[in-house]
Amino acid sequence: MSARRPQEGSGQEVRAAAARALVPVLNEQGSLAGLDEHSVIARDRGLLKELCFGTCRRLPRLEALAARLLKQPFKKRDRDVHALLLVGIYQLLYMRIPPHAAVGETAGAARLLKKEWATRVLNGCLRRLQREHAELEAEVDRDESARLSHPQWLLDALRKAWPEQWSDVVEANNQPGPMTLRVNQRLGDREAYLAKLMDLGLEARLCAHAPDGITLETPCDVSALPGFDDGLVSVQDEAAQLCATLLGPVLAPRPGAHVLDACAAPGGKTAHLLEQFDIALTALDSDNQRLARVEDTLTRLNLEARLVHADAAERDWWNGTLFDAILLDAPCSGTGVIRRHPDIKALRRPSDIKKLAKLQAALLDNLWGLLRPGGTLLYATCSILPEENARQIDAFVERTQDARVTTPTDVAWGVASGHGRQLFSQQNSHDGFFYARLEKRPTQ
């Protein structure tokens, strides 16, 4: 009996840790970006991440079920107990954890939150769900938001914007995204790297659209990837890798080109451009902590760039030298990467879209003045909402006389959307993304 106590204890610890991590999300005061996986023992870190991310992924449905299981809502000061209930429901309905463990360990975790009174409430709610799950699920699923695990405003926006694709997008959003790698062309090619993975028993396949991309059949820790510490490979979604493909015709023929990555953190696209092209790159970001991640990425890959902590909507950092190319991976709603950041379902609001669109327009107008005549600006977002994408670029081209659209139309990825191309998140494939490529007309 004594040999089982540590495991049982850690089971309660990981559930209590998940509840604590979810409280800022439920209070709309924080995200899972800062999830401290080291708050639990090593063997429980995968479980902690699954409990947190999975609960957020199914949050609208879990909230609907919790409302039916509770006689009255928990007080705001007991949001951690409410989070525990959501975690328990998620385990019972979506995980292969034995029901007795899901119920017992979740209810017991209330003691670690110093709320022993809640153990009986949680136990009663979760056992009722075990008994009546079919009836309760049928009841909540009459509501579209609960059935599809998305906030209603987002479902309405997706259906209006993409009547043919929205259902597939929603389905993909409710599944974890695959782990995709980018092979460093300076150090090898992806066919050789794929062979290394297969030799190690790591099943993988070549990406269909990104020439440096490989998607793993099953995600793994980066420590299991051959040569990761030596810079042979990085983790980056296939859609994000298309940035380098789109800038290739501009940068490949122009060694030493001055390039600005205007919202660079965490540095994946910065690194990819430096791996592929002989350029002088400035990586700009307004968040100094996130800029440090760019530095870490470049250090691992043995790459160099000028790092600048500044606001891309301002020019006080600029030395007056015009850029040959600018990448604007603009701040956006993240609606194309919900499967990787499912807390977006709880944190994003319709009012955010208008604010983000205003910021994107300001960034476009400011950065256009930093581009030399004949230079190229690549606009990118991980959004699938037209207000941030096609309509944004349409409006910019309308008000900018020297902007010429050069977005390719003869590509096998995405769909034409205004002056750009829209990719949608797909199961076992790329994320949702938007690209528009613009050239600044040479002066007469």
Side-chain angles (χ1 to χ4, degrees), residues 86-142:
L86 299 176
V87 166
I89 298 171
Y90 178 72
Q91 292 169 77
L92 287 174
L93 298 185
Y94 296 104
M95 295 185 71
R96 296 179 179 177
I97 292 176
H100 72 274
V103 174
E105 300 286 30
T106 302
R111 298 187 183 94
L112 301 180
L113 302 177
K114 302 189 186 309
K115 295 180 178 178
E116 187 165 355
W117 59 266
T119 57
R120 288 184 61 189
V121 179
L122 293 169
N123 189 70
C125 287
L126 295 175
R127 292 202 179 281
R128 181 187 168 199
L129 179 62
Q130 275 187 277
R131 296 190 307 270
E132 304 174 24
H133 71 91
E135 300 92 326
L136 289 167
E137 289 185 80
E139 183 181 343
V140 300
D141 285 347
R142 286 198 287 267

Coordinates of all heavy atoms in Angstrom, one line a residue, residues 86-142:
L86 N -14.1 21.3 -14.1 CA -13.9 21.2 -15.6 C -12.8 20.1 -15.9 O -13.0 19.4 -16.9 CB -13.5 22.6 -16.1 CG -14.5 23.7 -15.9 CD1 -13.9 25.0 -16.4 CD2 -15.8 23.4 -16.6
V87 N -11.8 20.1 -15.2 CA -10.7 19.1 -15.4 C -11.2 17.7 -15.2 O -10.9 16.8 -16.0 CB -9.5 19.4 -14.5 CG1 -8.5 18.2 -14.4 CG2 -8.8 20.7 -14.9
G88 N -12.1 17.5 -14.2 CA -12.6 16.2 -14.0 C -13.6 15.8 -15.1 O -13.5 14.6 -15.6
I89 N -14.4 16.7 -15.6 CA -15.3 16.4 -16.7 C -14.5 16.0 -17.9 O -14.8 15.1 -18.7 CB -16.2 17.6 -17.0 CG1 -17.1 17.9 -15.8 CG2 -17.1 17.3 -18.2 CD1 -17.9 19.2 -15.9
Y90 N -13.5 16.8 -18.2 CA -12.6 16.5 -19.4 C -12.0 15.1 -19.3 O -12.0 14.4 -20.3 CB -11.5 17.6 -19.5 CG -10.6 17.3 -20.7 CD1 -11.0 17.5 -22.0 CD2 -9.3 16.8 -20.5 CE1 -10.2 17.3 -23.1 CE2 -8.5 16.5 -21.6 CZ -8.9 16.8 -22.8 OH -8.1 16.5 -23.9
Q91 N -11.5 14.7 -18.1 CA -11.0 13.4 -18.0 C -12.0 12.3 -18.3 O -11.7 11.3 -19.0 CB -10.4 13.2 -16.6 CG -9.2 14.1 -16.3 CD -8.9 14.0 -14.8 OE1 -8.3 13.0 -14.3 NE2 -9.2 15.0 -14.1
L92 N -13.2 12.5 -17.7 CA -14.2 11.4 -17.9 C -14.7 11.3 -19.3 O -14.9 10.2 -19.8 CB -15.4 11.7 -17.0 CG -15.2 11.5 -15.5 CD1 -16.4 12.0 -14.7 CD2 -14.9 10.1 -15.2
L93 N -14.7 12.4 -20.1 CA -15.3 12.3 -21.4 C -14.3 12.2 -22.5 O -14.6 11.7 -23.6 CB -16.2 13.6 -21.6 CG -17.4 13.8 -20.7 CD1 -18.2 15.0 -21.2 CD2 -18.3 12.5 -20.7
Y94 N -13.0 12.7 -22.3 CA -12.1 12.8 -23.4 C -10.8 12.1 -23.2 O -9.9 12.1 -24.1 CB -11.8 14.2 -23.7 CG -13.1 15.0 -24.2 CD1 -13.8 15.8 -23.3 CD2 -13.5 14.8 -25.5 CE1 -14.9 16.5 -23.8 CE2 -14.7 15.5 -25.9 CZ -15.3 16.3 -25.1 OH -16.5 17.0 -25.5
M95 N -10.5 11.5 -22.0 CA -9.3 10.9 -21.7 C -9.4 9.4 -21.4 O -10.5 9.0 -20.9 CB -8.5 11.6 -20.6 CG -8.1 13.0 -21.0 SD -7.1 13.8 -19.7 CE -5.5 12.9 -19.9
R96 N -8.4 8.6 -21.5 CA -8.5 7.2 -21.2 C -8.0 6.9 -19.8 O -7.3 5.9 -19.5 CB -7.6 6.4 -22.2 CG -8.1 6.5 -23.6 CD -7.2 5.8 -24.6 NE -7.7 5.8 -26.0 CZ -7.0 5.3 -27.0 NH1 -5.9 4.6 -26.8 NH2 -7.5 5.4 -28.2
I97 N -8.3 7.8 -18.9 CA -8.0 7.6 -17.5 C -9.1 6.8 -16.9 O -10.3 7.1 -17.1 CB -7.8 9.0 -16.8 CG1 -6.6 9.7 -17.3 CG2 -7.8 8.9 -15.3 CD1 -6.4 11.1 -16.8
P98 N -8.8 5.8 -16.1 CA -9.9 5.1 -15.4 C -10.8 6.0 -14.6 O -10.3 6.9 -13.9 CB -9.1 4.1 -14.5 CG -7.8 4.0 -15.1 CD -7.5 5.3 -15.7
P99 N -12.1 5.8 -14.8 CA -13.1 6.7 -14.1 C -12.8 6.9 -12.6 O -13.0 8.0 -12.1 CB -14.4 6.1 -14.4 CG -14.2 5.3 -15.7 CD -12.8 4.8 -15.6
H100 N -12.5 5.8 -11.9 CA -12.3 5.9 -10.5 C -11.1 6.9 -10.2 O -11.2 7.6 -9.2 CB -12.1 4.5 -9.9 CG -10.7 3.9 -10.2 ND1 -10.5 3.2 -11.3 CD2 -9.6 4.0 -9.5 CE1 -9.2 2.8 -11.3 NE2 -8.7 3.3 -10.2
A101 N -10.1 6.8 -11.0 CA -9.0 7.7 -10.8 C -9.3 9.2 -11.1 O -9.0 10.1 -10.4 CB -7.8 7.2 -11.6
A102 N -10.0 9.3 -12.3 CA -10.4 10.7 -12.7 C -11.3 11.3 -11.6 O -11.1 12.5 -11.2 CB -11.2 10.6 -14.0
V103 N -12.2 10.6 -11.0 CA -13.1 11.1 -10.0 C -12.3 11.3 -8.7 O -12.3 12.4 -8.1 CB -14.3 10.2 -9.8 CG1 -15.1 10.7 -8.6 CG2 -15.1 10.2 -11.0
G104 N -11.7 10.3 -8.2 CA -11.0 10.3 -6.9 C -9.9 11.3 -6.8 O -9.8 12.0 -5.8
E105 N -9.0 11.3 -7.8 CA -7.8 12.2 -7.7 C -8.3 13.6 -7.9 O -7.7 14.5 -7.3 CB -6.8 11.8 -8.8 CG -6.3 10.3 -8.7 CD -5.3 10.2 -7.5 OE1 -5.4 10.9 -6.5 OE2 -4.4 9.3 -7.6
T106 N -9.3 13.9 -8.8 CA -9.7 15.2 -9.0 C -10.4 15.8 -7.7 O -10.1 16.9 -7.3 CB -10.7 15.3 -10.2 OG1 -10.0 14.8 -11.3 CG2 -11.1 16.7 -10.4
A107 N -11.3 15.0 -7.1 CA -12.0 15.5 -5.9 C -10.9 15.6 -4.8 O -11.0 16.6 -4.0 CB -13.0 14.5 -5.5
G108 N -10.0 14.7 -4.7 CA -9.0 14.8 -3.6 C -8.1 16.0 -3.8 O -7.5 16.5 -2.8
A109 N -7.9 16.5 -5.0 CA -7.0 17.6 -5.3 C -7.5 18.9 -4.6 O -6.8 19.8 -4.4 CB -6.9 17.8 -6.8
A110 N -8.8 18.9 -4.3 CA -9.4 20.1 -3.6 C -8.7 20.3 -2.2 O -8.5 21.5 -1.8 CB -10.9 19.9 -3.4
R111 N -8.2 19.3 -1.6 CA -7.5 19.4 -0.3 C -6.2 20.2 -0.5 O -5.8 21.0 0.3 CB -7.2 18.0 0.3 CG -8.5 17.2 0.6 CD -8.1 15.9 1.4 NE -9.3 15.1 1.7 CZ -9.7 14.1 0.9 NH1 -9.0 13.8 -0.2 NH2 -10.8 13.4 1.2
L112 N -5.6 19.9 -1.7 CA -4.3 20.6 -1.9 C -4.5 22.1 -2.2 O -3.6 22.9 -2.2 CB -3.6 20.0 -3.1 CG -3.2 18.5 -2.9 CD1 -2.5 18.0 -4.1 CD2 -2.4 18.3 -1.7
L113 N -5.8 22.5 -2.6 CA -6.1 23.9 -2.7 C -6.7 24.5 -1.4 O -7.1 25.6 -1.4 CB -7.2 24.0 -3.8 CG -6.9 23.4 -5.2 CD1 -8.1 23.6 -6.2 CD2 -5.7 24.1 -5.8
K114 N -6.6 23.7 -0.4 CA -7.0 24.1 1.0 C -8.5 24.3 1.0 O -9.0 25.2 1.7 CB -6.2 25.3 1.5 CG -4.7 25.1 1.5 CD -4.0 26.2 2.2 CE -2.5 26.1 2.1 NZ -2.0 24.8 2.6
K115 N -9.2 23.5 0.3 CA -10.7 23.6 0.2 C -11.3 22.2 0.3 O -11.9 21.7 -0.6 CB -11.1 24.3 -1.1 CG -10.7 25.7 -1.1 CD -11.1 26.5 -2.3 CE -10.6 27.9 -2.2 NZ -10.9 28.7 -3.4
E116 N -11.1 21.6 1.5 CA -11.5 20.2 1.7 C -13.0 20.0 1.5 O -13.5 19.0 1.1 CB -11.1 19.7 3.0 CG -11.4 18.2 3.2 CD -10.6 17.6 4.4 OE1 -9.8 18.4 5.0 OE2 -10.8 16.5 4.8
W117 N -13.8 21.1 1.8 CA -15.2 21.1 1.7 C -15.7 20.7 0.2 O -16.7 20.1 0.0 CB -15.9 22.4 2.1 CG -15.4 23.6 1.2 CD1 -14.3 24.4 1.5 CD2 -15.9 24.0 0.0 NE1 -14.2 25.3 0.6 CE2 -15.1 25.1 -0.4 CE3 -16.9 23.5 -0.9 CZ2 -15.3 25.8 -1.6 CZ3 -17.1 24.2 -2.1 CH2 -16.3 25.3 -2.4
A118 N -14.8 21.0 -0.7 CA -15.2 20.9 -2.1 C -15.1 19.4 -2.6 O -15.6 19.1 -3.6 CB -14.3 21.7 -3.0
T119 N -14.4 18.6 -1.8 CA -14.2 17.2 -2.2 C -15.5 16.5 -2.4 O -15.7 15.8 -3.4 CB -13.3 16.4 -1.2 OG1 -13.9 16.4 0.1 CG2 -11.9 17.0 -1.2
R120 N -16.5 16.7 -1.5 CA -17.8 16.1 -1.6 C -18.6 16.6 -2.8 O -19.2 15.8 -3.5 CB -18.6 16.3 -0.3 CG -18.1 15.5 0.9 CD -19.0 15.7 2.1 NE -20.4 15.3 1.8 CZ -21.4 15.5 2.6 NH1 -21.2 16.2 3.7 NH2 -22.6 15.0 2.3
V121 N -18.5 17.9 -3.0 CA -19.2 18.5 -4.2 C -18.7 18.0 -5.5 O -19.4 17.5 -6.4 CB -19.1 20.1 -4.1 CG1 -19.8 20.7 -5.3 CG2 -19.6 20.6 -2.8
L122 N -17.3 17.9 -5.6 CA -16.7 17.5 -6.9 C -17.0 16.0 -7.1 O -17.3 15.5 -8.2 CB -15.2 17.7 -6.8 CG -14.8 19.2 -6.9 CD1 -13.3 19.3 -6.6 CD2 -15.1 19.8 -8.2
N123 N -16.9 15.2 -6.0 CA -17.2 13.8 -6.1 C -18.6 13.5 -6.5 O -18.9 12.7 -7.4 CB -16.9 13.1 -4.7 CG -17.0 11.6 -4.8 OD1 -16.1 11.0 -5.4 ND2 -18.0 11.1 -4.2
G124 N -19.6 14.3 -6.0 CA -21.0 14.1 -6.3 C -21.2 14.5 -7.8 O -21.9 13.8 -8.5
C125 N -20.7 15.6 -8.2 CA -20.9 16.0 -9.6 C -20.3 15.1 -10.6 O -21.0 14.7 -11.6 CB -20.2 17.4 -9.8 SG -21.1 18.8 -9.0
L126 N -19.1 14.6 -10.3 CA -18.4 13.7 -11.3 C -19.1 12.3 -11.3 O -19.2 11.7 -12.4 CB -16.9 13.7 -11.0 CG -16.2 15.0 -11.2 CD1 -14.7 14.8 -10.7 CD2 -16.2 15.4 -12.6
R127 N -19.5 11.9 -10.2 CA -20.2 10.6 -10.2 C -21.6 10.7 -10.9 O -22.0 9.7 -11.5 CB -20.3 10.1 -8.7 CG -19.0 9.7 -8.1 CD -19.1 8.7 -7.0 NE -17.8 8.4 -6.4 CZ -17.0 7.5 -6.9 NH1 -17.3 6.9 -8.1 NH2 -15.8 7.3 -6.4
R128 N -22.2 11.8 -10.7 CA -23.5 12.0 -11.5 C -23.2 12.0 -13.0 O -24.0 11.4 -13.7 CB -24.1 13.3 -11.0 CG -25.5 13.5 -11.7 CD -26.1 14.8 -11.5 NE -27.2 15.1 -12.4 CZ -27.6 16.3 -12.6 NH1 -27.1 17.4 -12.0 NH2 -28.6 16.5 -13.5
L129 N -22.1 12.6 -13.4 CA -21.8 12.6 -14.8 C -21.5 11.2 -15.3 O -21.9 10.8 -16.4 CB -20.6 13.5 -15.1 CG -20.1 13.6 -16.5 CD1 -21.1 14.2 -17.4 CD2 -18.8 14.4 -16.6
Q130 N -20.8 10.4 -14.5 CA -20.6 9.0 -14.9 C -22.0 8.3 -15.1 O -22.1 7.6 -16.1 CB -19.9 8.3 -13.7 CG -18.4 8.4 -13.7 CD -17.8 7.5 -12.7 OE1 -17.7 7.8 -11.5 NE2 -17.4 6.3 -13.1
R131 N -22.9 8.5 -14.2 CA -24.2 7.8 -14.3 C -25.1 8.3 -15.5 O -25.7 7.6 -16.2 CB -25.0 7.9 -13.0 CG -24.3 7.3 -11.8 CD -25.3 7.2 -10.6 NE -25.9 8.6 -10.3 CZ -25.3 9.4 -9.5 NH1 -24.2 9.1 -8.8 NH2 -25.9 10.6 -9.2
E132 N -25.1 9.7 -15.7 CA -26.0 10.3 -16.5 C -25.4 11.0 -17.8 O -26.0 11.8 -18.4 CB -26.8 11.3 -15.7 CG -27.5 10.8 -14.5 CD -28.2 11.8 -13.7 OE1 -28.5 12.9 -14.2 OE2 -28.3 11.6 -12.4
H133 N -24.2 10.6 -18.1 CA -23.5 11.3 -19.1 C -24.2 11.4 -20.5 O -24.2 12.4 -21.2 CB -22.1 10.8 -19.3 CG -22.0 9.4 -20.0 ND1 -21.9 9.3 -21.4 CD2 -22.1 8.2 -19.5 CE1 -21.9 8.0 -21.7 NE2 -22.0 7.3 -20.6
A134 N -24.9 10.3 -20.8 CA -25.6 10.3 -22.1 C -26.7 11.3 -22.2 O -26.8 12.1 -23.1 CB -26.2 8.9 -22.4
E135 N -27.5 11.4 -21.1 CA -28.6 12.3 -21.1 C -28.1 13.8 -21.0 O -28.6 14.7 -21.7 CB -29.5 12.1 -19.9 CG -30.2 10.7 -19.9 CD -29.4 9.6 -19.1 OE1 -28.1 9.7 -19.2 OE2 -30.0 8.8 -18.5
L136 N -27.0 14.0 -20.1 CA -26.5 15.3 -19.9 C -25.8 15.8 -21.2 O -26.0 17.0 -21.6 CB -25.5 15.3 -18.8 CG -26.1 15.1 -17.4 CD1 -25.0 14.8 -16.4 CD2 -26.9 16.4 -17.0
E137 N -25.1 14.9 -21.9 CA -24.4 15.4 -23.1 C -25.4 15.7 -24.2 O -25.3 16.7 -24.9 CB -23.5 14.3 -23.6 CG -22.2 14.1 -22.7 CD -21.2 13.1 -23.3 OE1 -20.5 13.5 -24.2 OE2 -21.2 11.9 -22.8
A138 N -26.5 14.9 -24.3 CA -27.5 15.2 -25.3 C -28.2 16.5 -25.0 O -28.5 17.3 -26.0 CB -28.5 14.0 -25.3
E139 N -28.4 16.8 -23.7 CA -29.0 18.0 -23.4 C -28.2 19.3 -23.7 O -28.7 20.2 -24.4 CB -29.3 18.0 -21.9 CG -30.0 19.3 -21.4 CD -30.3 19.2 -19.9 OE1 -30.2 18.1 -19.3 OE2 -30.6 20.3 -19.3
V140 N -26.9 19.3 -23.4 CA -26.0 20.4 -23.7 C -25.8 20.5 -25.2 O -25.6 21.7 -25.7 CB -24.7 20.4 -22.9 CG1 -25.0 20.4 -21.4 CG2 -23.8 19.2 -23.3
D141 N -25.7 19.4 -25.9 CA -25.4 19.5 -27.3 C -26.5 20.0 -28.2 O -26.3 20.2 -29.4 CB -25.0 18.1 -27.8 CG -23.6 17.7 -27.3 OD1 -22.9 18.6 -26.9 OD2 -23.2 16.5 -27.4
R142 N -27.7 20.3 -27.6 CA -28.7 21.0 -28.3 C -28.3 22.5 -28.6 O -28.8 23.1 -29.5 CB -30.0 21.0 -27.5 CG -30.7 19.7 -27.5 CD -32.2 19.8 -27.2 NE -32.4 20.1 -25.8 CZ -32.5 19.1 -24.8 NH1 -32.6 17.8 -25.2 NH2 -32.7 19.4 -23.6

